[in-house]
Amino acid sequence: MKKALVTGITGQDGSYLADFLLEKGYKVYGMVRRNSTENFERVEHLRYSIQFVQADLLDQMSLMKLIREIQPDEVYNLAAQSFVPTSWDQPVYTGEATGIGVTRMLEAIRYEKPDTKFYQASSSEMFGKVQEMPQSEKTPFYPRSPYGVAKVYAHFITVNYRESYDIFAVSGILFNHESPRRGKEFVTRKITDAVARIKYGLQDKLELGNLDAKRDWGYAGDYVKMMWLMLQQEKPEDFVIGTGKAHSVRDFATISFNAAGFDIQWEGEEMNERGIDVRTGKTLVVVSEKFFRPAEVHHLLANPQKAKDKLGWEPELSFEQLVQMMVEADLKRYEKISK
Ligand code: NAP
Ligand code: GDD
């Protein structure tokens, strides 16, 4: 039985990856950091199938001990401070967890089990102020946030350990991927959660920032399989994973409201733009300055050709299906609460 250690197990991707690895017959160890209350909502259904182990990316010795004791065949490093706006408020912490934390894990592997295969959760946020359209493995990075900068460090330290110590270490440069398990501060889930709350009269309207930002959004459940496939290749290589299609925040909101039976129309411009329900004249969306970022990443679009050729990558869920799935899940959740 192969052993996999997954950091960030309580996060969106960790929970989907654990589902996938268990199906593949792995023994899964899920790394959790100490919290005053348990935070197992996304992995509740796996509580007795995963072995939870405690450590922290900020603590070198805890990682050494983990690798020594588990002797994993594969490590998936998904843990990070992953919310871009927080990285402006806590840039040093973000650098420690999202950047240097990766070096700590790689050191633990180098000293305790150097034949462990290592997956690093790299990000399209590294492309930032994009240098070409669409973005591939060869596109130069230009990060626009402390989070993006930390991910670039993490990316290159992974390349460096591969080249210096012959560790099977790869980076998956993943574009935005979403699901009903997405954190509610990220824009997609913020929208679908608000749509459901408005539908059930629990919220009046939704405040958003830059409606023109465009992302290449895919489904998290499709993406975790690619993480695993990257570690099953003969030689360690980095891959871009995305759908090759981008949509704006405004598009995402429009489709979400439509999916819940609203007929939304956009009026006004920039800071005064509003989403109005055509049938009732009620304002559903307003733009608020507080959700704008000091430096925006305007347009991310993947060129996933390498993953298509070498990993057989083909996303199963379309953008419209993804939005529908997220809206339906939130409607169901609030239907139960409102009864
Ligand atoms: P997420 O839902 O925010 O989960 C982050 C996980 O990291 C949580 O389990 C969190 O634990 C854990 N964590 C944070 N700091 C830690 C520390 N110091 N020590 C140990 N664990 C720590 O993120 P996600 O969306 O699943 O993303 C997974 C990874 O992929 C992240 O590295 C993210 O930056 C990267 N990524 C995500 C996307 C995307 O679109 N989702 C795209 C590209 C790259 P707690 O539950 O205790 O907070
Ligand atoms: N969060 C949020 N809230 N974003 C908003 C809002 C809002 O109210 N209004 C507009 N946006 C815009 C942001 O300005 C950004 O351009 C876009 O929506 C997406 O924001 P997020 O959903 O917060 O995601 P992100 O692209 O910044 O980061 C996510 O994807 C990265 C991969 O590119 C995270 O998952 C990162 O961890 C990941 O690396």
Side-chain angles (χ1 to χ4, degrees), residues 8-14 31 33 35 39 42 55-58 78-82 93 97 121-123 147 151 174-178 182 186:
I9 194 86
T10 53
Q12 172 189 257
D13 291 8
M31 187 180 108
R33 52 181 172 168
N35 279 309
N39 172 23
R42 295 183 177 108
D56 198 303
L57 282 185
L58 302 185
L78 310 184
Q81 190 304 93
S82 76
Y93 168 71
S122 279
S123 164
Y147 167 82
K151 281 288 182 188
L174 270 49
F175 282 63
N176 300 48
H177 44 280
E178 319 294 314
R182 183 59 140 158
F186 299 96

Side-chain angles (χ1 to χ4, degrees), residues 177-238:
H177 44 280
E178 319 294 314
S179 73
R181 298 185 200 169
R182 183 59 140 158
K184 285 184 189 167
E185 69 274 47
F186 299 96
V187 77
T188 55
R189 185 72 199 292
K190 180 177 169 180
I191 292 170
T192 61
D193 182 72
V195 164
R197 288 177 62 82
I198 292 170
K199 182 86 183 171
Y200 286 106
L202 301 166
Q203 184 173 328
D204 188 25
K205 53 180 171 292
L206 166 65
E207 282 183 50
L208 290 173
N210 181 10
L211 297 174
D212 293 316
K214 288 194 174 128
R215 290 290 183 276
D216 181 329
W217 278 298
Y219 171 50
D222 284 343
Y223 286 48
V224 294
K225 185 178 170 195
M226 293 300 115
M227 300 176 183
W228 174 78
L229 265 179
M230 285 180 216
L231 293 193
Q232 313 314 312
Q233 300 304 296
E234 278 212 350
K235 60 178 180 100
E237 282 183 73
D238 305 326

Side-chain angles (χ1 to χ4, degrees), residues 94-122:
T94 301
E96 279 289 343
T98 306
I100 308 283
V102 182
T103 309
R104 292 194 190 95
M105 183 57 94
L106 284 165
E107 280 289 273
I109 290 172
R110 181 161 83 97
Y111 281 102
E112 303 293 347
K113 192 171 183 292
D115 65 343
T116 301
K117 292 183 173 182
F118 177 76
Y119 173 87
Q120 166 57 18
S122 279

Side-chain angles (χ1 to χ4, degrees), residues 47-82:
R47 182 177 278 274
Y48 301 105
S49 332
I50 298 174
Q51 186 163 335
F52 293 100
V53 285
Q54 220 177 70
D56 198 303
L57 282 185
L58 302 185
D59 188 290
Q60 181 71 66
M61 291 313 291
S62 70
L63 300 175
M64 301 289 249
K65 186 163 172 279
L66 219 58
I67 302 293
R68 189 181 318 133
E69 287 177 0
I70 297 171
Q71 293 287 299
D73 297 288
E74 297 169 7
V75 170
Y76 296 86
N77 184 43
L78 310 184
Q81 190 304 93
S82 76

Side-chain angles (χ1 to χ4, degrees), residues 310-323:
K310 293 196 171 179
L311 305 177
W313 162 243
E314 207 56 66
E316 281 173 30
L317 222 64
S318 71
F319 175 70
E320 289 73 17
Q321 286 170 319
L322 170 66
V323 180

Side-chain angles (χ1 to χ4, degrees), residues 83-315:
F83 190 46
V84 172
T86 297
S87 79
W88 278 290
D89 294 333
Q90 299 177 26
V92 176
Y93 168 71
T94 301
E96 279 289 343
T98 306
I100 308 283
V102 182
T103 309
R104 292 194 190 95
M105 183 57 94
L106 284 165
E107 280 289 273
I109 290 172
R110 181 161 83 97
Y111 281 102
E112 303 293 347
K113 192 171 183 292
D115 65 343
T116 301
K117 292 183 173 182
F118 177 76
Y119 173 87
Q120 166 57 18
S122 279
S123 164
S124 52
E125 185 73 13
M126 301 190 302
F127 296 121
K129 190 172 175 184
V130 296
Q131 301 296 293
E132 67 177 340
M133 194 64 79
Q135 298 90 49
S136 74
E137 295 78 6
K138 295 203 171 92
T139 305
F141 300 135
Y142 194 140
R144 294 270 277 172
S145 61
Y147 167 82
V149 173
K151 281 288 182 188
V152 171
Y153 171 86
H155 178 83
F156 279 121
I157 202 71
T158 302
V159 174
N160 185 260
Y161 273 56
R162 173 165 82 214
E163 293 176 355
S164 306
Y165 305 118
D166 211 19
I167 291 174
F168 193 110
V170 307
S171 271
I173 306 173
L174 270 49
F175 282 63
N176 300 48
H177 44 280
E178 319 294 314
S179 73
R181 298 185 200 169
R182 183 59 140 158
K184 285 184 189 167
E185 69 274 47
F186 299 96
V187 77
T188 55
R189 185 72 199 292
K190 180 177 169 180
I191 292 170
T192 61
D193 182 72
V195 164
R197 288 177 62 82
I198 292 170
K199 182 86 183 171
Y200 286 106
L202 301 166
Q203 184 173 328
D204 188 25
K205 53 180 171 292
L206 166 65
E207 282 183 50
L208 290 173
N210 181 10
L211 297 174
D212 293 316
K214 288 194 174 128
R215 290 290 183 276
D216 181 329
W217 278 298
Y219 171 50
D222 284 343
Y223 286 48
V224 294
K225 185 178 170 195
M226 293 300 115
M227 300 176 183
W228 174 78
L229 265 179
M230 285 180 216
L231 293 193
Q232 313 314 312
Q233 300 304 296
E234 278 212 350
K235 60 178 180 100
E237 282 183 73
D238 305 326
F239 287 91
V240 156
I241 305 291
T243 69
K245 289 183 190 130
H247 298 269
S248 67
V249 171
R250 192 185 292 96
D251 290 343
F252 195 102
T254 306
I255 299 177
S256 298
F257 277 104
N258 287 347
F262 295 98
D263 191 356
I264 191 170
Q265 218 167 60
W266 300 91
E267 287 177 5
E269 276 173 21
E270 292 188 341
M271 296 308 291
N272 291 319
E273 191 163 350
R274 282 166 186 273
I276 315 274
D277 186 4
V278 179
R279 290 179 205 144
T280 59
K282 200 177 158 237
T283 300
L284 299 173
V285 181
V286 292
V287 171
S288 167
E289 203 167 347
K290 69 174 183 260
F291 294 111
F292 280 72
R293 300 177 177 189
E296 178 62 290
V297 170
H298 294 285
H299 191 168
L300 293 176
L301 178 66
N303 172 359
Q305 198 54 50
K306 182 180 172 188
K308 283 189 177 176
D309 295 344
K310 293 196 171 179
L311 305 177
W313 162 243
E314 207 56 66

